[in-house]
Structure formats: structure tokens, C-alpha cells
Short mmCIF file of all heavy atoms in Angstrom, two decimals:
data_model
loop_
_atom_site.label_atom_id
_atom_site.label_comp_id
_atom_site.label_asym_id
_atom_site.label_seq_id
_atom_site.Cartn_x
_atom_site.Cartn_y
_atom_site.Cartn_z
N HIS B 1 -68.10 85.92 -36.06
CA HIS B 1 -67.21 86.45 -37.10
C HIS B 1 -65.75 86.04 -36.86
O HIS B 1 -64.93 86.15 -37.77
CB HIS B 1 -67.34 87.97 -37.21
CG HIS B 1 -66.66 88.74 -36.12
ND1 HIS B 1 -67.29 89.10 -34.94
CD2 HIS B 1 -65.39 89.24 -36.03
CE1 HIS B 1 -66.45 89.77 -34.18
NE2 HIS B 1 -65.29 89.87 -34.80
N HIS B 2 -65.42 85.55 -35.66
CA HIS B 2 -64.08 85.03 -35.43
C HIS B 2 -63.83 83.73 -36.19
O HIS B 2 -62.69 83.30 -36.34
CB HIS B 2 -63.84 84.80 -33.94
CG HIS B 2 -63.63 86.06 -33.16
ND1 HIS B 2 -63.54 86.09 -31.78
CD2 HIS B 2 -63.50 87.34 -33.57
CE1 HIS B 2 -63.37 87.34 -31.38
NE2 HIS B 2 -63.34 88.11 -32.45
N CYS B 3 -64.91 83.11 -36.66
CA CYS B 3 -64.76 81.87 -37.44
C CYS B 3 -64.34 82.13 -38.88
O CYS B 3 -63.96 81.19 -39.59
CB CYS B 3 -66.09 81.09 -37.44
SG CYS B 3 -66.66 80.56 -35.81
N LEU B 4 -64.42 83.38 -39.32
CA LEU B 4 -64.03 83.70 -40.70
C LEU B 4 -62.59 83.29 -40.97
O LEU B 4 -61.72 83.44 -40.10
CB LEU B 4 -64.20 85.20 -40.95
CG LEU B 4 -65.64 85.73 -41.01
CD1 LEU B 4 -65.64 87.25 -41.04
CD2 LEU B 4 -66.37 85.17 -42.23
N GLY B 5 -62.36 82.78 -42.17
CA GLY B 5 -61.02 82.31 -42.50
C GLY B 5 -59.96 83.38 -42.39
O GLY B 5 -58.83 83.10 -41.97
N CYS B 6 -60.31 84.63 -42.72
CA CYS B 6 -59.33 85.72 -42.67
C CYS B 6 -58.90 86.02 -41.24
O CYS B 6 -57.83 86.60 -41.01
CB CYS B 6 -59.89 86.97 -43.34
SG CYS B 6 -61.39 87.62 -42.54
N ILE B 7 -59.71 85.64 -40.25
CA ILE B 7 -59.37 85.85 -38.84
C ILE B 7 -58.77 84.59 -38.23
O ILE B 7 -57.70 84.62 -37.63
CB ILE B 7 -60.61 86.28 -38.04
CG1 ILE B 7 -61.12 87.64 -38.55
CG2 ILE B 7 -60.30 86.36 -36.55
CD1 ILE B 7 -62.37 88.13 -37.86
N TRP B 8 -59.46 83.47 -38.39
CA TRP B 8 -59.02 82.23 -37.77
C TRP B 8 -57.66 81.77 -38.29
O TRP B 8 -56.85 81.21 -37.55
CB TRP B 8 -60.07 81.15 -38.01
CG TRP B 8 -59.76 79.83 -37.40
CD1 TRP B 8 -59.58 78.65 -38.05
CD2 TRP B 8 -59.58 79.54 -36.01
NE1 TRP B 8 -59.30 77.64 -37.15
CE2 TRP B 8 -59.29 78.16 -35.90
CE3 TRP B 8 -59.62 80.31 -34.85
CZ2 TRP B 8 -59.06 77.54 -34.67
CZ3 TRP B 8 -59.39 79.69 -33.64
CH2 TRP B 8 -59.11 78.33 -33.55
N SER B 9 -57.36 82.01 -39.56
CA SER B 9 -56.09 81.57 -40.13
C SER B 9 -54.90 82.36 -39.59
O SER B 9 -53.76 81.95 -39.76
CB SER B 9 -56.13 81.68 -41.66
OG SER B 9 -56.33 83.03 -42.06
N ARG B 10 -55.15 83.48 -38.90
CA ARG B 10 -54.06 84.30 -38.36
C ARG B 10 -53.80 84.01 -36.88
O ARG B 10 -52.97 84.67 -36.26
CB ARG B 10 -54.38 85.79 -38.51
CG ARG B 10 -54.61 86.26 -39.93
CD ARG B 10 -54.42 87.77 -40.02
NE ARG B 10 -55.14 88.49 -38.98
CZ ARG B 10 -56.33 89.04 -39.13
NH1 ARG B 10 -56.96 88.93 -40.28
NH2 ARG B 10 -56.90 89.69 -38.14
N ARG B 11 -54.48 83.02 -36.33
CA ARG B 11 -54.45 82.82 -34.88
C ARG B 11 -53.09 82.41 -34.34
O ARG B 11 -52.82 82.59 -33.16
CB ARG B 11 -55.48 81.76 -34.49
CG ARG B 11 -55.08 80.36 -34.94
CD ARG B 11 -56.25 79.41 -34.84
NE ARG B 11 -55.86 78.05 -35.21
CZ ARG B 11 -55.70 77.65 -36.46
NH1 ARG B 11 -55.87 78.51 -37.46
NH2 ARG B 11 -55.36 76.41 -36.72
N ASP B 12 -52.22 81.83 -35.19
CA ASP B 12 -50.95 81.29 -34.70
C ASP B 12 -49.81 82.31 -34.74
O ASP B 12 -48.70 81.99 -34.34
CB ASP B 12 -50.56 80.05 -35.51
CG ASP B 12 -51.50 78.89 -35.23
OD1 ASP B 12 -51.82 78.68 -34.05
OD2 ASP B 12 -51.91 78.22 -36.18
N LYS B 13 -50.08 83.50 -35.24
CA LYS B 13 -49.04 84.53 -35.20
C LYS B 13 -48.83 84.98 -33.76
O LYS B 13 -49.75 85.00 -32.94
CB LYS B 13 -49.45 85.72 -36.07
CG LYS B 13 -49.49 85.40 -37.56
CD LYS B 13 -49.80 86.63 -38.38
CE LYS B 13 -49.77 86.32 -39.87
NZ LYS B 13 -50.08 87.51 -40.70
N LYS B 14 -47.60 85.34 -33.44
CA LYS B 14 -47.24 85.67 -32.06
C LYS B 14 -48.11 86.78 -31.50
O LYS B 14 -48.50 86.75 -30.33
CB LYS B 14 -45.77 86.08 -32.00
CG LYS B 14 -44.80 84.93 -32.31
CD LYS B 14 -43.36 85.39 -32.20
CE LYS B 14 -42.41 84.24 -32.48
NZ LYS B 14 -40.99 84.66 -32.40
N GLU B 15 -48.44 87.77 -32.33
CA GLU B 15 -49.21 88.89 -31.83
C GLU B 15 -50.70 88.57 -31.68
O GLU B 15 -51.47 89.40 -31.18
CB GLU B 15 -49.05 90.11 -32.76
CG GLU B 15 -49.60 89.91 -34.17
CD GLU B 15 -48.57 89.30 -35.12
OE1 GLU B 15 -47.59 88.71 -34.63
OE2 GLU B 15 -48.76 89.43 -36.34
N ASN B 16 -51.13 87.36 -32.12
CA ASN B 16 -52.54 87.01 -32.08
C ASN B 16 -52.85 85.88 -31.10
O ASN B 16 -53.79 85.12 -31.29
CB ASN B 16 -53.03 86.61 -33.48
CG ASN B 16 -52.99 87.77 -34.45
OD1 ASN B 16 -53.13 88.92 -34.06
ND2 ASN B 16 -52.82 87.47 -35.73
N LYS B 17 -52.06 85.77 -30.05
CA LYS B 17 -52.26 84.68 -29.10
C LYS B 17 -53.61 84.77 -28.39
O LYS B 17 -54.13 83.76 -27.94
CB LYS B 17 -51.13 84.68 -28.06
CG LYS B 17 -49.78 84.25 -28.62
CD LYS B 17 -48.73 84.20 -27.53
CE LYS B 17 -47.39 83.73 -28.09
NZ LYS B 17 -46.34 83.66 -27.03
N GLN B 18 -54.15 85.96 -28.27
CA GLN B 18 -55.44 86.15 -27.59
C GLN B 18 -56.60 86.20 -28.58
O GLN B 18 -57.74 86.47 -28.18
CB GLN B 18 -55.41 87.45 -26.76
CG GLN B 18 -54.33 87.47 -25.70
CD GLN B 18 -54.45 86.32 -24.72
OE1 GLN B 18 -55.54 85.97 -24.29
NE2 GLN B 18 -53.32 85.71 -24.37
N LEU B 19 -56.33 85.92 -29.85
CA LEU B 19 -57.36 86.00 -30.88
C LEU B 19 -58.29 84.79 -30.80
O LEU B 19 -57.85 83.66 -30.58
CB LEU B 19 -56.71 86.07 -32.27
CG LEU B 19 -57.64 86.32 -33.46
CD1 LEU B 19 -58.24 87.72 -33.36
CD2 LEU B 19 -56.87 86.16 -34.77
N ALA B 20 -59.58 85.04 -30.98
CA ALA B 20 -60.60 83.98 -31.08
C ALA B 20 -60.58 83.05 -29.87
O ALA B 20 -60.60 81.83 -30.03
CB ALA B 20 -60.42 83.20 -32.38
N GLN B 21 -60.57 83.61 -28.68
CA GLN B 21 -60.53 82.79 -27.48
C GLN B 21 -61.77 81.92 -27.32
O GLN B 21 -61.70 80.81 -26.78
CB GLN B 21 -60.37 83.68 -26.24
CG GLN B 21 -59.00 84.31 -26.10
CD GLN B 21 -57.91 83.25 -25.94
OE1 GLN B 21 -58.06 82.32 -25.17
NE2 GLN B 21 -56.81 83.41 -26.67
N SER B 22 -62.92 82.40 -27.79
CA SER B 22 -64.15 81.61 -27.66
C SER B 22 -64.08 80.35 -28.50
O SER B 22 -64.61 79.29 -28.10
CB SER B 22 -65.36 82.46 -28.06
OG SER B 22 -65.26 82.88 -29.42
N ILE B 23 -63.42 80.43 -29.65
CA ILE B 23 -63.26 79.24 -30.50
C ILE B 23 -62.23 78.30 -29.88
O ILE B 23 -62.42 77.08 -29.85
CB ILE B 23 -62.84 79.64 -31.92
CG1 ILE B 23 -63.89 80.55 -32.55
CG2 ILE B 23 -62.64 78.39 -32.79
CD1 ILE B 23 -63.53 81.04 -33.93
N ARG B 24 -61.17 78.85 -29.37
CA ARG B 24 -60.15 78.02 -28.71
C ARG B 24 -60.74 77.25 -27.53
O ARG B 24 -60.35 76.12 -27.25
CB ARG B 24 -58.98 78.90 -28.25
CG ARG B 24 -58.19 79.57 -29.37
CD ARG B 24 -57.11 80.46 -28.78
NE ARG B 24 -56.48 81.29 -29.77
CZ ARG B 24 -55.37 80.96 -30.44
NH1 ARG B 24 -54.80 79.79 -30.22
NH2 ARG B 24 -54.84 81.79 -31.32
N ALA B 25 -61.70 77.87 -26.84
CA ALA B 25 -62.32 77.21 -25.70
C ALA B 25 -63.11 75.98 -26.15
O ALA B 25 -63.09 74.94 -25.49
CB ALA B 25 -63.24 78.18 -24.96
N THR B 26 -63.81 76.08 -27.29
CA THR B 26 -64.55 74.92 -27.80
C THR B 26 -63.59 73.82 -28.22
O THR B 26 -63.88 72.63 -28.05
CB THR B 26 -65.44 75.31 -28.99
OG1 THR B 26 -64.62 75.75 -30.09
CG2 THR B 26 -66.39 76.43 -28.62
N ILE B 27 -62.44 74.20 -28.76
CA ILE B 27 -61.44 73.22 -29.16
C ILE B 27 -60.86 72.52 -27.95
O ILE B 27 -60.66 71.29 -27.94
CB ILE B 27 -60.32 73.91 -29.98
CG1 ILE B 27 -60.89 74.48 -31.28
CG2 ILE B 27 -59.19 72.95 -30.29
CD1 ILE B 27 -59.92 75.33 -32.06
N SER B 28 -60.58 73.29 -26.90
CA SER B 28 -60.05 72.68 -25.67
C SER B 28 -61.04 71.69 -25.08
O SER B 28 -60.66 70.62 -24.59
CB SER B 28 -59.72 73.78 -24.66
OG SER B 28 -58.70 74.63 -25.14
N GLN B 29 -62.33 72.03 -25.13
CA GLN B 29 -63.35 71.12 -24.62
C GLN B 29 -63.42 69.85 -25.47
O GLN B 29 -63.54 68.74 -24.94
CB GLN B 29 -64.72 71.82 -24.62
CG GLN B 29 -65.91 70.93 -24.30
CD GLN B 29 -65.89 70.39 -22.88
OE1 GLN B 29 -65.11 70.85 -22.04
NE2 GLN B 29 -66.76 69.42 -22.60
N PHE B 30 -63.33 70.00 -26.78
CA PHE B 30 -63.31 68.85 -27.68
C PHE B 30 -62.14 67.93 -27.33
O PHE B 30 -62.29 66.71 -27.22
CB PHE B 30 -63.19 69.33 -29.13
CG PHE B 30 -63.35 68.24 -30.16
CD1 PHE B 30 -64.55 68.07 -30.82
CD2 PHE B 30 -62.30 67.40 -30.47
CE1 PHE B 30 -64.70 67.07 -31.78
CE2 PHE B 30 -62.43 66.41 -31.42
CZ PHE B 30 -63.64 66.24 -32.07
N ASN B 31 -60.99 68.51 -27.12
CA ASN B 31 -59.80 67.75 -26.73
C ASN B 31 -60.00 67.05 -25.40
O ASN B 31 -59.57 65.92 -25.19
CB ASN B 31 -58.58 68.67 -26.64
CG ASN B 31 -57.89 68.80 -27.97
OD1 ASN B 31 -58.25 68.16 -28.94
ND2 ASN B 31 -56.89 69.65 -28.04
N ALA B 32 -60.64 67.77 -24.45
CA ALA B 32 -60.85 67.21 -23.12
C ALA B 32 -61.75 65.98 -23.17
O ALA B 32 -61.52 64.99 -22.47
CB ALA B 32 -61.44 68.26 -22.20
N VAL B 33 -62.79 66.04 -24.01
CA VAL B 33 -63.69 64.88 -24.16
C VAL B 33 -62.93 63.71 -24.76
O VAL B 33 -63.02 62.57 -24.29
CB VAL B 33 -64.90 65.25 -25.02
CG1 VAL B 33 -65.77 64.01 -25.27
CG2 VAL B 33 -65.73 66.34 -24.35
N THR B 34 -62.16 63.98 -25.81
CA THR B 34 -61.38 62.92 -26.45
C THR B 34 -60.40 62.29 -25.46
O THR B 34 -60.27 61.07 -25.37
CB THR B 34 -60.60 63.48 -27.66
OG1 THR B 34 -61.52 64.08 -28.56
CG2 THR B 34 -59.84 62.39 -28.38
N ASN B 35 -59.71 63.14 -24.71
CA ASN B 35 -58.75 62.64 -23.74
C ASN B 35 -59.42 61.84 -22.62
O ASN B 35 -58.87 60.86 -22.12
CB ASN B 35 -57.96 63.80 -23.13
CG ASN B 35 -56.86 63.34 -22.19
OD1 ASN B 35 -55.87 62.77 -22.63
ND2 ASN B 35 -57.07 63.55 -20.91
N CYS B 36 -60.63 62.26 -22.24
CA CYS B 36 -61.36 61.55 -21.20
C CYS B 36 -61.69 60.13 -21.65
O CYS B 36 -61.55 59.16 -20.89
CB CYS B 36 -62.65 62.30 -20.87
SG CYS B 36 -63.61 61.58 -19.52
N VAL B 37 -62.11 59.99 -22.90
CA VAL B 37 -62.39 58.65 -23.45
C VAL B 37 -61.13 57.80 -23.44
O VAL B 37 -61.13 56.65 -22.98
CB VAL B 37 -62.95 58.76 -24.88
CG1 VAL B 37 -63.19 57.36 -25.47
CG2 VAL B 37 -64.25 59.56 -24.90
N LEU B 38 -60.03 58.37 -23.91
CA LEU B 38 -58.78 57.62 -24.00
C LEU B 38 -58.26 57.22 -22.62
O LEU B 38 -57.79 56.10 -22.42
CB LEU B 38 -57.73 58.46 -24.72
CG LEU B 38 -58.02 58.78 -26.19
CD1 LEU B 38 -57.01 59.77 -26.72
CD2 LEU B 38 -58.02 57.52 -27.02
N SER B 39 -58.33 58.14 -21.66
CA SER B 39 -57.78 57.85 -20.34
C SER B 39 -58.57 56.77 -19.62
O SER B 39 -58.00 55.91 -18.94
CB SER B 39 -57.72 59.13 -19.49
OG SER B 39 -59.02 59.65 -19.28
N THR B 40 -59.90 56.79 -19.74
CA THR B 40 -60.70 55.76 -19.08
C THR B 40 -60.45 54.38 -19.68
O THR B 40 -60.55 53.37 -18.97
CB THR B 40 -62.20 56.09 -19.18
OG1 THR B 40 -62.56 56.29 -20.55
CG2 THR B 40 -62.54 57.33 -18.36
N ILE B 41 -60.10 54.33 -20.96
CA ILE B 41 -59.89 53.04 -21.62
C ILE B 41 -58.46 52.54 -21.44
O ILE B 41 -58.22 51.36 -21.20
CB ILE B 41 -60.21 53.15 -23.13
CG1 ILE B 41 -61.70 53.47 -23.33
CG2 ILE B 41 -59.86 51.85 -23.86
CD1 ILE B 41 -62.06 53.79 -24.75
N LEU B 42 -57.49 53.45 -21.50
CA LEU B 42 -56.08 53.04 -21.62
C LEU B 42 -55.24 53.22 -20.36
O LEU B 42 -54.18 52.60 -20.24
CB LEU B 42 -55.42 53.82 -22.76
CG LEU B 42 -56.03 53.66 -24.15
CD1 LEU B 42 -55.33 54.57 -25.14
CD2 LEU B 42 -55.95 52.22 -24.62
#
């Protein structure tokens, strides 16, 4: 339910820094994979 637009769209407000941490973790992992590809190549 943290994926709902009414929740996820509020994540950048100062008081919501801890909101939807499980989704943020998947995003960080996605970034890490992308960065791993780039670093090995470049």
C-alpha cells in the first residue's frame, strides 16, 4: 500500500523522510546495479 500514489507522491516532504523505506530500498538497489555496470565499463 506504500506504492499508492497518494502515499508515494508525498515522500519528498520534509516530514516524510522515513516514508516508504521498503520502496526506497528497491530503488537504491536498482541504482546500485546501474552504477555497477557503468563503473566496470568506464
Side-chain angles (χ1 to χ4, degrees):
H1 76 270
H2 285 173
C3 299
L4 290 171
C6 61
I7 296 178
W8 181 241
S9 61
R10 301 200 312 263
R11 70 194 183 282
D12 291 317
K13 293 184 177 179
K14 293 181 179 179
E15 64 272 19
N16 294 332
K17 289 183 178 180
Q18 301 302 318
L19 187 66
Q21 289 298 314
S22 60
I23 300 178
R24 295 177 190 267
T26 64
I27 296 172
S28 297
Q29 172 66 12
F30 188 100
N31 272 356
V33 175
T34 303
N35 184 70
C36 184
V37 178
L38 295 172
S39 62
T40 54
I41 296 172
L42 301 176

